[in-house]
């Protein structure tokens, strides 16, 4: 009898966003921009900004508790907590360790992966490897970011784009059936490292009075370059995972793409030949929440009952690094 490796099944999801809403009109009071400019270039109408006394782990905790409840899994049953984030509470330890303590998890291993906006897909893909190898049975996979803390609120080309949030999925091993992650793939191109990054605060340029005065602790981005490479890369990697899974575009029930910009999403859908009715867009309400964008959107569509058993869903992401990825999942 041949033994097949277990499949990774998404058993429950949860999400959390801050209650403070910042509209385009609010931003137009701070920098020279307008609701019309932001909406037409990005599709973003408003975003959520985390309250000052909260940290990324607080959002992650709320999303995680909802995911565990949705999955009907006790925190004690978790083997691992893997978090995609680039805005952890501290430089170290990892947000995953902070979250583990907040959730009261015991006898687990926890770590962060930093792939910026592709963080959730990276965390999910790594989890899939642990599950397929038989090393773990139940994992909490989280994507959370609080980029509002790293924005230059005087730079109109970036401060309009981002928002805060957290999303989580309970991923479990399944030994039979054809449900679960059919294929997942990650890719990077580090030659673009300085196309989208935070200049100071790392080991290359630690914080000094000068770096603060020069506003080097906030996001720098060449938006046009990001746009171009994002569409091309997400199309390519989406086609690869679909091929590997033996799934054609018409078999897809839904696509849950990273929510960076409505124009990137529509360009991607058009290149893949997927009608927009099958493509989830919530960037209008949350902006780009980085690693949180896919799990927040996924949780919303699951709770709306838009994913039925057997549905095949494509996830794809792109972000700083550049790092990108895609996964095909049968629910
Ligand atoms: N309001 C009004 N005008 C703005 C503006 C704002 N918020 N931001 C930039 N502008 C101006 C620029 O100053 C420039 O003016 P100029 O022609 O007088 O110099 C003009 O608009 C065009 O700027 P440009 O940067 O060329 O705009 P764009 O059409 O490329 O749109 C982005 C900018 C950021 C919306 C677009 O490049 C983008 O969405 N890129 C992808 C970014 C992204 O998703 N990053 C995250 C990936 S994970």
């Amino acid at each position: 009898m041949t033994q097949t490796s277990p499949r990774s099944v998404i058993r429950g999801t949860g999400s959390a966003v801050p209650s403070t809403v910042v509209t385009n009109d609010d931003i137009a009071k701070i920098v020279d921009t307008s609701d019309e400019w932001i909406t037409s270039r990005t599709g973003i109408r408003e975003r959520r900004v985390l309250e000052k006394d909260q940290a990324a782990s607080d959002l992650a905790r709320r999303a995680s508790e909802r995911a565990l409840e949705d999955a009907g899994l006790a925190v004690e049953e978790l083997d691992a907590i893997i978090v995609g984030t680039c805005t952890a509470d501290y430089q170290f330890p990892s947000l995953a360790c902070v979250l583990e303590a907040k959730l009261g998890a015991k006898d687990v291993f926890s770590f962060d992966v930093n792939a910026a906006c592709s963080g959730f897909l990276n965390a999910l893909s790594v989890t899939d490897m642990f599950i397929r190898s038989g090393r773990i049975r139940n994992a909490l996979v989280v994507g959370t970011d609080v980029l509002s803390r790293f924005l230059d609120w005087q730079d109109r080309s970036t401060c309009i784009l981002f928002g805060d949030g957290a999303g989580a999925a309970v991923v479990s091993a399944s030994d039979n059936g054809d449900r679960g992650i059919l294929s997942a793939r990650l890719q990077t191109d580090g030659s673009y490292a300085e196309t989208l990054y935070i200049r100071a605060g790392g080991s290359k340029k630690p914080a000094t009075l000068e770096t603060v005065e020069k506003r080097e602790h906030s996001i720098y981005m060449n938006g046009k370059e990001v746009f171009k490479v994002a569409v091309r890369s997400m199309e390519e990697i989406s086609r690869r995972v679909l091929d590997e899974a033996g799934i054609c575009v018409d078999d897809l029930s839904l696509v849950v793409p990273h929510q960076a910009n409505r124009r990137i999403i529509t360009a991607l859908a058009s290149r893949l030949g997927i009608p927009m009715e099958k493509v989830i867009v919530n960037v209008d309400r949350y902006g780009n929440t980085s690693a949180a964008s896919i799990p927040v959107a996924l949780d919303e569509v699951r709770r709306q009952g838009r994913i039925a058993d057997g549905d095949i869903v494509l996830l794809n992401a792109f972000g700083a690094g550049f790092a990108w990825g895609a996964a095909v999942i049968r629910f």
Side-chain angles (χ1 to χ4, degrees):
M1 199 173 83
T2 51
Q3 185 156 5
T4 53
S5 51
R7 276 247 164 87
S8 310
V9 171
I10 294 189
R11 195 162 145 183
T13 55
S15 59
V17 292
S19 49
T20 306
V21 177
V22 175
T23 65
N24 291 346
D25 286 336
D26 293 331
I27 295 186
K29 291 180 192 136
I30 311 170
V31 290
D32 182 14
T33 190
S34 65
D35 176 46
E36 197 283 320
W37 195 97
I38 302 171
T39 310
S40 62
R41 302 287 176 120
T42 69
I44 299 167
R45 295 183 183 280
E46 58 188 42
R47 71 287 292 140
R48 303 297 179 99
V49 170
L50 190 62
E51 293 71 29
K52 289 235 155 37
D53 61 347
Q54 302 266 300
S57 64
D58 297 310
L59 276 179
R61 176 194 188 158
R62 278 159 50 202
S64 300
E65 286 173 345
R66 286 173 188 157
L68 285 164
E69 192 189 345
D70 185 41
L73 193 86
V75 70
E76 295 78 23
E77 294 174 80
L78 287 174
D79 303 311
I81 299 176
I82 304 181
V83 179
T85 187
C86 60
T87 55
D89 295 17
Y90 310 112
Q91 285 274 346
F92 64 84
S94 66
L95 189 152
C97 284
V98 176
L99 177 62
E100 171 190 324
K102 285 190 173 173
L103 292 173
K106 297 269 183 290
D107 197 19
V108 289
F109 64 88
S110 308
F111 62 89
D112 292 354
V113 293
N114 179 349
C117 296
S118 295
F120 180 77
L121 259 178
N122 275 249
L124 186 66
S125 180
V126 169
T127 301
D128 185 38
M129 293 298 155
F130 275 114
I131 286 179
R132 280 173 179 270
S133 74
R135 177 66 185 78
I136 63 171
R137 299 288 296 175
N138 296 307
L140 180 66
V141 183
V142 180
T144 183
D145 270 312
V146 180
L147 280 172
S148 66
R149 303 278 213 264
F150 300 89
L151 292 175
D152 179 349
W153 289 94
Q154 292 176 17
D155 175 8
R156 66 179 183 173
S157 68
T158 51
C159 75
I160 57 161
L161 296 173
F162 298 94
D164 304 333
V170 172
V171 182
S172 295
S174 162
D175 297 312
N176 43 48
D178 56 1
R179 293 172 58 218
I181 297 177
L182 306 181
S183 174
R185 196 166 261 281
L186 306 174
Q187 203 166 333
T188 48
D189 184 345
S191 67
Y192 288 101
E194 296 184 357
T195 307
L196 172 53
Y197 76 130
I198 295 177
R199 289 188 174 99
S203 61
K204 181 169 179 179
K205 211 181 220 195
T208 61
L209 208 50
E210 191 192 352
T211 60
V212 173
E213 277 167 4
K214 287 165 95 178
R215 314 182 80 80
E216 291 182 331
H217 293 274
S218 45
I219 293 176
Y220 163 83
M221 180 180 70
N222 176 342
K224 273 199 192 315
E225 193 66 12
V226 174
F227 195 111
K228 217 169 50 194
V229 186
V231 174
R232 193 176 63 223
S233 306
M234 283 198 285
E235 181 197 356
E236 277 168 16
I237 206 155
S238 298
R239 290 195 187 282
R240 281 185 83 174
V241 291
L242 288 170
D243 273 358
E244 277 166 5
I247 299 293
C248 60
V249 162
D250 291 344
D251 297 332
L252 291 172
S253 303
L254 282 181
V255 181
V256 183
H258 171 48
Q259 306 286 313
N261 178 320
R262 194 185 167 91
R263 283 161 57 220
I264 293 181
I265 297 172
T266 50
L268 176 67
S270 135
R271 286 169 78 138
L272 286 171
I274 299 173
M276 280 305 287
E277 303 85 75
K278 288 188 177 182
V279 181
I280 302 308
V281 180
N282 67 10
V283 71
D284 52 323
R285 287 178 288 129
Y286 302 130
N288 179 350
T289 58
S290 187
S293 88
I294 288 178
V296 167
L298 187 62
D299 183 50
E300 286 192 347
V301 287
R302 281 189 72 249
R303 283 171 197 266
Q304 288 160 5
R306 290 181 66 184
I307 301 182
D309 282 353
D311 277 358
I312 300 171
V313 177
L314 171 70
L315 314 180
N316 46 29
F318 184 89
F322 291 150
W324 62 99
V328 197
I329 305 170
R330 183 181 281 116
F331 278 82

